[in-house]
Amino acid sequence: MSDIVRDPTDELVVFAVPQEAMQLRPDLRDDYCYWPMVSTIAAQSPLPLLGPVHEPTYQYMTRPDDLHGIELRHPCARCRASVERAAQALAGVEPGTLGICVAQCVVVYLRDIQTLDGRFSPIMRLADTV
């Protein structure tokens, strides 16, 4: 029998946010972005999630140069590239029509201890609307 453990993992999700949502108060805008973040992680995860996400943070871009203000918890090449692609996508849309949410959180997965290798497992998705 294998040993199953809880594995807290940092996750990154990048997705488009309609301009109407970008105009909400910051707390409402963050609440609006919670479920797209969670549903993206759940849809793309090959492992079962254990409970709710922890420590969610949200940062937003409305212009390509907003990229420079984004702070990544785990600044690996894949995460940076995902955020850079989103910033580049903003260059191709009319200013003020779209926002990008860079959501980060900790998700607890159930893993078999034999497959646990300590690697970061980013979930990156740029919505089709960008």
Side-chain angles (χ1 to χ4, degrees), residues 62-84:
T62 57
R63 301 181 321 267
D65 60 341
D66 290 340
L67 168 70
H68 305 296
I70 301 295
E71 295 181 24
L72 298 176
R73 292 182 188 180
H74 190 277
C76 70
R78 286 180 62 192
C79 292
R80 282 194 313 271
S82 181
V83 175
E84 288 169 1

Side-chain angles (χ1 to χ4, degrees), residues 21-39:
M22 293 297 294
Q23 301 302 320
L24 295 170
R25 285 189 336 240
D27 62 323
L28 292 176
R29 182 180 57 205
D30 291 354
D31 288 349
Y32 176 90
C33 291
Y34 177 82
W35 285 112
M37 173 187 65
V38 171
S39 63

Side-chain angles (χ1 to χ4, degrees), residues 3-30:
D3 292 316
I4 302 296
V5 297
R6 288 181 174 94
D7 180 27
T9 304
D10 282 318
E11 295 289 3
L12 168 76
V13 183
V14 177
F15 54 92
V17 178
Q19 192 57 36
E20 298 81 18
M22 293 297 294
Q23 301 302 320
L24 295 170
R25 285 189 336 240
D27 62 323
L28 292 176
R29 182 180 57 205
D30 291 354

Side-chain angles (χ1 to χ4, degrees), residues 59 70 114:
Q59 299 173 78
I70 301 295
Q114 294 175 350

